[in-house]
Amino acid sequence: MNPSKQLNTNKSSTLFQAEAWKNVWVKLLPQHAIKNPVMAIVWLGTIITLISTVMGKANVLFGLSVTLILFITVLFANYAEAIAEAKGRGQASSLRQARQNLTARRLKSKTDTEGEQIAATQLKMNDLIEVRAGELIPADGEIIEGFATINEAAVTGESAPVLREAGTDKSGVIGGTKVLTDQIIVQVTAESGHSFLDRMIALVEGSNRQKTPNEIALGILLTVMTVTFIVVVLSLPFIGHFLKIEINPIVLVALLVCLIPTTIGGLLPAIGIAGMNRALKANVIAKSGKAVEVAGDVDVLLLDKTGTITYGDRQATAFYPLVGVTESELRQAAILTSLADPTPEGKSVVALAKELGERVSEPEHAAFIAFSASTRISGIDLSDGHQIRKGALDAILQFASQRLESHSELKTRVEQVASKGATPLVVAKDKNILGVIELSDVIKQGIKEKFARLREMGIKTVMVTGDNPLTAAAIAAEAGVDDYIAEAKPEDKLSCIRAEQNKGHLVAMVGDGTNDAPALAQADIGLAMNSGTQAAKEAGNMVDLDSDPTKLLSVVEIGKQQLITRGALTTFSLANDVSKYFAILPALFVAAIPQMNSLNVMHLGSSESAILSALIFNAIIIPLLIPIALRGVKFKPATSTQLLRRNMLIYGVGGVLLPFIAIKLIDLMISPLLAL
């Protein structure tokens, strides 16, 4: 590792630790402590044991030992939450550096060549700003003129530059990123204080972290359990009075602390914060903790073919003229339909025709027909009245007013191209179909294995593509998706999501364009691309800073890991309470009821050593589990039944056995000390 990088890492780690310990003490204040009811009870118990010791209700050494152990338990629980928050603040600090002292060149209009220099904080919605090579983009916005390569390392951590261009689905830019080449005019989409970076900072600092439904439900359960055990413990002195047993208040507090679920109570906030941090580490901004958790429950994934399953850079690889049409005639027609086509496919058609020896010249007084996702056709109307079009098979047949049944050769050519997993584009001049262009795309490496992992988790994958059914079927089979929708229009995504939700499924999808916004908003998890339009980013509940559509697969795994971690640690916490009962209960009643000694299965040295051993274990288990809470339980694809079985075996059985061993070992160490 680079020594300077190691030094910076160590320095950051030291800062995190220092800030975390500072917040540990702040969280002892009543207004902070009450936010975690379980640990608030432990904190109150600490004060009660101290007062009882001072009033002479117990041996001073024993009383102070219990007080100190309880106080350390509270500190450890506070530390678990504080260290998670400190990591978030560290990430926020690095994000703030990306926007310090930014200035902007504000334009009065797109034709303004001078502009005025102002502070970035003075920018308003819809202001126009010009950014040149070497300058930082002062605010979030969309490019409305020009294109540029941009370094987004300040936000994404990725040093490789990206291309952003006006009029495409990759027109969005973020304040604080740097323009490397060319110059662009950007329309501001967020005022100071409401920018993408501002929201990221608020989220990672935890100030906007909303508890998830599962976290709220578990919190209520823990509170109910705590209240129930308080009632039980408060009733023991009355029961002891009838049995002529005087119960020490310090022992009652110790019993209560061991009865209530302190382990998961201390770790629960850290688990929630860590889930958000893991998402951010994967360069995914979740707008709420709920979004991360819901991702773990998703059972249907809706994926675009282009850019998600395939690399998305489809290239023209061959021309197939029909009988009676020369190759040159087909290529010339294809060139004319693609001259004004800004898509990679259109540009590749012109490039391939050039390679094959065709001359390219733009006709005069021609009207270009831009490609539309709804019509799936593009072309040109020449000044002499000829109309030339290229597009999907059904769109061209409709344009030419013809039926496929009357074109056996066309059908064969289309099927031939589609069977290879390529996309056939049909070219027509007026009412005559000239031939087929083959567009080839490549399945992303490892995508089939990822879909297999999702299938193991019980998640259905649905590929959405505008390709014809034959091409869609070939690619779906090669990629290993469970289902596909061919010849899909933008509104078909929304219909598909609603249909799956009506069946009771939770649906996730990826999108980057304005036409994806309704579907992103409708989906239970909408992952918007950072490079996409502002409408898409506003509609989704997650934003991928890397603009990698396959990131949705990682998001699902992060969500599942969040649920598994909380479930595993809850199981462990409740299971290890069992052993603490066997340590505390005999110590409480054995003096008056000798038969209770039969419960002392661990053969602990004395009542005092049993109580202290249980409390010491209760305290040290929290910091020992902090790394698991922050890192998450290791995720492996499995069904719900398999996960439950594994959790019960490892964290359930292990949670019962480990404390028996640990408490006995602690007792062996402290019993001689108490005997002095």
Side-chain angles (χ1 to χ4, degrees), residues 371-397:
F371 175 80
S372 166
S374 58
T375 62
R376 294 180 297 125
I377 198 170
S378 63
I380 187 172
D381 291 341
L382 301 174
S383 58
D384 58 7
H386 289 296
Q387 295 179 317
I388 307 175
R389 299 288 187 271
K390 77 172 189 298
L393 173 63
D394 60 329
I396 293 298
L397 287 173

Side-chain angles (χ1 to χ4, degrees), residues 333-349:
I335 289 172
L336 291 173
T337 62
S338 304
L339 286 174
D341 187 347
T343 65
E345 293 90 343
K347 293 175 181 177
S348 73
V349 169

Side-chain angles (χ1 to χ4, degrees), residues 91-103:
Q91 290 169 321
S93 177
S94 65
L95 290 173
R96 282 196 180 94
Q97 294 175 4
R99 59 168 196 177
Q100 289 179 348
N101 304 320
L102 289 180
T103 59

